[in-house]
Amino acid sequence: MRVVIGEDETLLREGLQLVLEREGFEVVAAAADADEVVAASARTAPDLVLTDLRMPPTRTDDGLRAAQRIRAARPGTAVVVLSQHLNGQYAAELLGDDATAVGYLLKQRIADAGNFCRDLRRVAEGGIALDPEVVTAMLTRRDDAVEQLSPRRREVLALIAQGRSNAAISRLLGISEKSVVAHTSGIYDTLGLAADADDHRRVLAVVRYLTR
């Protein structure tokens, strides 16, 4: 898998490259500012772009804007934005109206290299990777339909939005898979989502609902 890294801190940029290469990724470019990230992506046509949120030239949200520009130019490119701090609004902007092959992760996730790389692969395969704290922030945005969910179904919804399978949700919550299916069906009914939607699109449907 071909990857472009965008990170202005030299040690972290080189560390990310080492971690990814050790896990079998091919790092085709590593850039120190947002414009370089966009240019490198246009030049190398990577499968995945991994970029810091705050980068030069303004050190505000340049990495997010770069990811959006890359997606606009090459919609098939997977993008993951890394952030030092939680910002649900930035996550919502990244997800937008086409919440596929995108991720928004806090930088501390890098410490667990195995899970971090699994998140990157999931995004590259068309999935979504959201830091659990980001999901929690999105769920706490006041929405009448979400507020109607029971505490248990809000827990299930948070795990669904993280991309967890029914088996994983069952294990994490200590309930049967049959109960997970029942809760998921109830969530879809409450949120007004089609009951016959394909199961593999459930994360996309939930996140789209939460971010619209």
Side-chain angles (χ1 to χ4, degrees):
M1 184 188 306
R2 294 160 52 81
V3 182
V4 166
I5 296 173
E7 171 57 58
D8 61 302
E9 294 183 17
T10 303
L11 288 178
L12 183 53
R13 184 173 64 250
E14 293 179 354
L16 281 169
Q17 182 166 348
L18 287 173
V19 167
L20 296 187
E21 289 177 343
R22 187 180 64 209
E23 293 291 329
F25 294 84
E26 179 187 359
V27 178
V28 294
D33 70 55
D35 291 336
E36 288 181 23
V37 172
V38 175
S41 298
R43 185 175 65 251
T44 62
D47 303 301
L48 172 72
V49 174
L50 175 64
T51 180
D52 187 14
L53 173 68
R54 296 188 176 184
M55 297 183 66
T58 71
R59 295 185 184 277
T60 55
D61 59 356
D62 300 81
L64 173 65
R65 303 306 164 202
Q68 292 173 321
R69 288 164 61 190
I70 291 165
R71 293 270 285 186
R74 297 184 66 247
T77 307
V79 297
V80 173
V81 172
L82 295 175
S83 178
Q84 189 71 41
H85 305 290
L86 174 65
N87 189 311
Q89 180 58 41
Y90 285 151
E93 287 186 39
L94 179 64
L95 291 164
D97 294 323
D98 183 23
T100 56
V102 295
Y104 186 100
L105 300 173
L106 298 183
K107 284 188 175 180
Q108 52 260 42
R109 296 276 283 188
I110 300 171
D112 187 342
N115 282 330
F116 176 66
C117 289
R118 278 191 287 274
D119 286 340
L120 298 187
R121 289 190 174 94
R122 184 165 70 249
V123 171
E125 291 168 0
I128 296 170
L130 294 177
D131 194 281
E133 293 184 35
V134 174
V135 174
T136 299
M138 293 170 70
L139 285 174
T140 55
R141 295 170 64 196
R142 294 305 177 199
D143 185 288
D144 291 342
V146 173
E147 288 300 303
Q148 293 174 21
L149 296 174
S150 68
R152 173 62 83 187
R153 287 185 176 176
R154 286 171 65 87
E155 288 181 311
V156 172
L157 178 56
L159 292 168
I160 288 173
Q162 290 176 35
R164 303 288 187 173
S165 67
N166 284 351
I169 294 172
S170 170
R171 185 174 62 255
L172 289 167
L173 297 182
I175 59 178
S176 68
E177 285 193 49
K178 185 176 180 180
S179 294
V180 175
V181 172
H183 283 308
T184 302
S185 178
I187 289 167
Y188 287 161
D189 289 344
T190 301
L191 300 187
L193 301 172
D196 60 350
D198 290 342
D199 184 63
H200 71 277
R201 293 179 63 83
R202 66 183 185 168
V203 176
L204 173 60
V206 170
V207 175
R208 277 184 172 174
Y209 180 84
L210 292 174
T211 57
R212 68 185 178 183

